[in-house]
Amino acid sequence: MSAMTLCISKDFLTAYSNLPRQVQTKVAEFMNKFRVNPKSAAINLEKLHDCLDSKFCSARIDNAYRAILVMQGDVYLLLWVDHH
């Protein structure tokens, strides 16, 4: 597997700071899993429908929360995290 870079936007940090502590822990676990294997089935990476740019996708944090990312080659930028 090639090296990948995971970046975090300022907006993502704002959204993260507003999450309950338990969800913040799940987000941290997600980020670790994502860095190891962004293509893992457990991450459930999905393209965003009705989005003009196919580089945008969402990833499962748990049954209630998802992260929004943009992909550019091997660089992934976490943009937002919130309720599904």
Side-chain angles (χ1 to χ4, degrees), residues 11-13 15-16 19-20 23-24 26-28 30-31 34 38 40-49 56-71 77-84:
D11 291 336
F12 181 87
L13 291 176
Y16 175 85
L19 297 174
V23 177
Q24 288 179 351
K26 291 179 181 182
V27 171
F30 157 79
M31 290 171 33
F34 192 86
S40 169
I43 291 182
N44 194 25
L45 200 59
E46 299 177 353
K47 298 276 184 183
L48 292 180
H49 302 292
F56 287 86
C57 58
S58 71
R60 177 188 303 140
I61 302 299
D62 64 14
N63 288 336
Y65 287 85
R66 292 193 70 83
I68 304 300
L69 305 96
V70 64
M71 304 178 296
L77 174 61
L78 285 165
L79 299 172
W80 193 256
V81 62
D82 210 336
H83 278 277
H84 191 323

